[in-house]
Amino acid sequence: MAALLSDLATEILIPVASVVGIVFALVQWVVVSRVKLSPEKQSAGGNKNGYGDYLIEEEEGLNDHNVVVKCAEIQTAISEGATSFLFTEYQYVGVFMVIFAIIIFLFLGTVDGFSTKTRPCTYSKDTTCKPALATALFSTISFLLGAITSLVAGFLGMKIATYANARTTLEARKGVGKAFIVAFRSGAVMGFLLAASGLLVLYITINLFKLYYGNDWEGLFESITGYGLGGSSMALFGRVGGGIYTKAADVGADLVGKIERNIPEDDPRNPAVIADNVGDNVGDIAGMGSDLFGSYAESSCAALVVASISSFGINHEFTAMMFPLLISSVGIIVCLITTLFATDFFEIKSVEEIEPALKKQLVISTALMTVGIAIVSWIGLPAQFTIYSFGTQKDVTNWQLFFCVAIGLWAGLVIGFVTEYYTSNAYSPVQDVADSCRTGAATNVIFGLALGYKSVIIPIFAIAVSIFVSFSLAAMYGIAVAALGMLSTIATGLAIDAYGPISDNAGGIAEMAGMSHRIRERTDALDAAGNTTAAIGKGFAIGSAALVSLALFGAFVSRAGISTVDVLTPKVFIGLLVGAMLPYWFSAMTMKSVGSAALKMVEEVRRQFNTIPGLMEGTTKPDYATCVKISTDASIKEMIPPGALVILTPLIAGTFFGVETLSGVLAGALVSGVQIAISASNTGGAWDNAKKYIEAGATEHAQSLGPKGSDCHKAAVIGDTIGDPLKDTSGPSLNILIKLMAVESLVFAPFFATHGGLLFKWL
């Protein structure tokens, strides 16, 4: 019984959906670029927001011309800083890429002693497969393709964000709705470019590899796993490097500016202010883009590997085999419709509507996607088929797979909303943290940590339930497609995520350009909503990382020929212990890096305030470039040790201790990494929003905690500063640690299975 959708239709549908996504992104970009950054009289717009487009400046009698010129100058400075940092980072990463590609080729080549003869297949011994050397070569190629796609995705995201930030500021003069749409459209450019290009490159790669592999689908999809490895290894450096950069600048700017000198955030007198705004783009946008691209590539690869040894692969059913890619194709179309709800169908008129509008995006995309998955499962899968499950074939029906994908999708939504509850200042957890600032920074820190630990409970249950259900229904394939379900609305998720740093930058530009406080209030409202959505995005990234790495772990265990992982054997147990320790070691490295880089930054900012005459009075300009250089140098130097830790661990464990110990390491890292990642992200997000809650003074309770500069506010700023490396460096990088170790183990599994465990062989 074949799928209802013909192979030809599949071959048309996937690339068409990708191209539609790319075109949609370009259209959004054109719309954003209509906002001019040159001082000219803008034609009076229609009555879209319920009132004419009069500008605040005109009624306040400020010179409009100067403001626009200043915004353009600041934007250029931010854009140049971000571009030069990424180019420096990519030079180092490029060297790593070449070295690691050679390692992949050599390790996988030695599996069969570099022979070019065909060999019996791993799973069905009576058929012959292409030589191991081919797997080595093609894995290397797909690794490079994944790495390059990941870098390009991050870079383009950063470009559009630095292009849109000043435009958002200028639109804020016309009303909060206009500014929101510019920021959101720009986020959508990144989301759709990334989702569509990731899908398109993967699809083209599969089809090109098929020219060589022919009917050997097992070898074909084994070599495709390199694509996920490439994506994630670049994401690791992007996340860690960008995270150290952004937080060194942020902590330095906050400690000296707000606490010592009592000047507002993003004040142009603060020497670290440009570096801080550059950091938002390289860490939160370029890093986040590469990270989610990595997740997406890996969950697709994990599903494809398991499917290739199930009935889809054995019977060469192309449409059913492409099920993971079909889900993503439908996801792009669903996200496109969802985006129109935010930009065209509804209009935002007041500050209160911003956060609900962003949350509606999540709900609408999830609801529509559920229908989309049902259709794909119905037409893209046979009614009954078998799925490989640790040496046996398990009978599965198409509606069971529908449930697997849907539960992943809805678990993502649950995690998103729980994260929002714990990090948004509209709810009691953050308000309690803000309230604890009355008695100083210490109680603020205690309450914040407790909130983070508590926020782990529901997401973990959500992940646990989705794992249990999807595994019971369709073994490891079920878990892989559940991860894909969570990531199927990646375009919307990324749009919401990139919206945050863009509006954060817009606020910074408004402050630096000396715009009126009413505009700053509007950009602050955009930014506070962006903070919460960024936390939701991190929740999604961590939840999907847990599912993805479990699916990769299952594929690795199957490929390495382990029937069961027995915790009671010492080999496995020592692996578990060490694996559970790795996230702590990794977090220690990244947080210390932020600390030492921030120390240099604080010294430099203090030096400028003390030695440059007229800086506090605002008559001379600070030396922004030195601060940008400090951040760049620190992050490039400091991203190497944590990166090496993650990349070398599976190689060392697999080569010297063997696949059983390595499986323990992977399980341990997964179990402890998820907990630390969620709690770190949410603690940091809660501290940040507690500070914003006090600053905004929107409720009586918030006003009682005092204006900016009060003792209460200073305690909140200290909490926020501690939370910065937690929520933007170590927390979000941990999900890459979990995934990267798993996908790397899977790619090197043939080598570990044949040559691994040297120490135990000698003993």
Side-chain angles (χ1 to χ4, degrees), residues 707-723:
K708 287 187 184 183
S710 65
D711 283 346
C712 223
H713 176 243
K714 281 188 175 168
V717 171
I718 292 173
D720 173 35
T721 314
I722 300 171

Side-chain angles (χ1 to χ4, degrees), residues 5 7-21 195-196 198-204 206-207 296 304 318-330 332-333:
L5 196 65
D7 289 359
L8 179 69
T10 308
E11 282 171 32
I12 296 169
L13 184 69
I14 296 172
V16 165
S18 320
V19 173
V20 167
L199 176 63
L200 192 59
V201 175
L202 179 60
Y203 180 71
I204 292 171
I206 290 173
N207 278 311
Y296 165 72
L304 290 168
F318 183 74
T319 300
M321 192 67 217
M322 290 294 120
F323 181 64
L325 280 77
L326 285 170
I327 295 178
S328 310
S329 311
V330 173
I332 291 175
I333 308 298

Side-chain angles (χ1 to χ4, degrees), residues 73 113 311 424 580 637 683 690:
E73 276 174 14
S311 64
S424 163
K637 188 174 112 243
T683 295

Side-chain angles (χ1 to χ4, degrees), residues 458-510:
I458 300 173
I460 290 296
F461 277 119
I463 294 171
V465 168
S466 48
I467 287 172
F468 183 77
V469 173
S470 51
F471 188 86
S472 309
L473 291 174
M476 275 301 167
Y477 189 68
I479 294 174
V481 292
L484 261 174
M486 203 178 275
L487 291 165
S488 58
T489 51
I490 183 175
T492 296
L494 262 172
I496 293 175
D497 219 43
Y499 155 87
I502 292 171
S503 36
D504 190 352
N505 261 215
I509 292 174

Side-chain angles (χ1 to χ4, degrees), residues 80-165:
E80 282 171 0
T83 309
S84 78
F85 168 72
L86 285 181
F87 273 129
T88 316
E89 181 184 67
Y90 291 170
Q91 282 165 3
Y92 284 83
V93 167
V95 174
F96 159 78
M97 218 158 84
V98 174
I99 295 172
F100 202 59
I102 295 168
I103 292 177
I104 293 175
F105 182 70
L106 292 178
F107 271 50
L108 293 180
T110 56
V111 170
D112 227 358
F114 291 101
S115 94
T116 49
K117 296 190 197 63
T118 53
R119 58 195 169 114
C121 295
T122 316
Y123 297 98
S124 43
K125 299 287 182 205
D126 45 349
T127 46
T128 54
C129 281
K130 299 287 186 200
L133 194 61
T135 306
L137 179 65
F138 285 106
S139 294
T140 311
I141 295 172
S142 58
F143 165 75
L144 292 171
L145 280 171
I148 292 163
T149 312
S150 180
L151 293 182
V152 170
F155 186 76
L156 289 176
M158 181 281 300
K159 271 299 189 207
I160 180 70
T162 52
Y163 182 81
N165 50 19

Side-chain angles (χ1 to χ4, degrees), residues 192-230:
F192 283 93
L193 267 183
L194 195 129
S197 58
L199 176 63
L200 192 59
V201 175
L202 179 60
Y203 180 71
I204 292 171
T205 311
I206 290 173
N207 278 311
L208 290 178
F209 283 15
K210 220 162 91 189
L211 297 177
Y212 169 78
Y213 276 103
N215 278 342
D216 173 16
W217 284 18
E218 187 187 295
L220 166 65
F221 291 103
E222 191 171 294
S223 55
I224 288 285
T225 49
Y227 185 72
L229 177 61

Side-chain angles (χ1 to χ4, degrees), residues 657-668:
F657 297 95
V659 283
E660 278 102 343
T661 308
L662 179 54
S663 59
V665 170
L666 294 178

Side-chain angles (χ1 to χ4, degrees), residues 229-255:
L229 177 61
S232 250
S233 51
M234 295 306 105
L236 176 71
F237 291 111
R239 254 301 189 205
V240 175
I244 293 170
Y245 184 106
T246 169
K247 290 305 120 179
D250 197 355
V251 171
D254 282 1
L255 284 179

